[in-house]
Amino acid sequence: MAARGLPVLEVLHLKWATTTVKAVDALVKVAPRLQLLELPAGLKAQKSWVKRGRQIL
């Protein structure tokens, strides 16, 4: 994934996913066009995920 990235990913809904901050961080880093990120209830948004125009729910 790191080699190719996710250049076309714009929306990522993880509301019902069992995931970690580390896993979401890896996804956000390889998705430059990500505009909407929906996180599970127990996961706190990291400062590195904030980008102008990006909505984090």
Side-chain angles (χ1 to χ4, degrees):
M1 186 168 62
R4 298 190 80 147
L6 299 169
V8 297
L9 182 66
E10 293 182 2
V11 177
L12 184 59
H13 294 281
L14 298 172
K15 184 176 183 174
W16 304 110
T18 302
T19 189
T20 64
V21 169
K22 191 174 182 178
V24 176
D25 192 49
L27 289 169
V28 170
K29 286 181 181 177
V30 297
R33 293 181 55 190
L34 186 62
Q35 293 298 311
L36 176 65
L37 176 60
E38 184 178 18
L39 299 173
L43 207 62
K44 191 171 185 178
Q46 305 297 302
K47 288 182 182 180
S48 62
W49 302 349
V50 177
K51 179 180 171 185
R52 185 180 177 133
R54 180 178 289 160
Q55 185 177 10
I56 300 177
L57 305 174

